[in-house]
Amino acid sequence: MPIYEYVCNQCGRKFEQLVWSGTAAEEITCPSCGERNARKVMSTFGVGRSGGAGGAIGASCPAATPGCGTGG
Ligand SMILES: [Zn+2]
C-alpha cells in the first residue's frame, strides 16, 4: 500500500495519503479544509539538501580583490 505525500493548494497543508493504484490527485481530499485541490509531492527522503554545493570559498568576494577572504 503506497503512501504518498500531498500538499493542499487551498490551505497549504501537507499530509500523507494512502493511495491505491489508479487514484488521481483530484480525488484526494485535504483533511484540513476538505478541498479536493491537492498535488502530489515527492518524498522528502534524501532530497532535503538545498544549495551549498562546494561554494564556501569566496562566495561574497569579487575576483582579484586584495585582502578579501583572507581575514585582512
Ligand atoms: Zn486544505
Side-chain angles (χ1 to χ4, degrees):
M1 291 183 286
I3 297 179
Y4 293 109
E5 280 189 284
Y6 286 85
V7 171
C8 178
N9 292 321
Q10 190 69 25
C11 69
R13 168 69 177 272
K14 178 183 287 186
F15 58 95
E16 295 179 338
Q17 178 70 46
L18 192 155
V19 179
W20 301 97
S21 61
T23 303
E26 291 76 24
E27 300 179 44
I28 305 300
T29 303
C30 173
S32 183
C33 68
E35 288 289 330
R36 285 187 175 182
N37 189 14
R39 58 185 170 87
K40 187 167 64 176
V41 296
M42 293 294 104
S43 175
T44 55
F45 288 104
V47 294
R49 296 179 183 178
S50 61
I57 300 175
S60 60
C61 288
T65 302
C68 183
T70 58

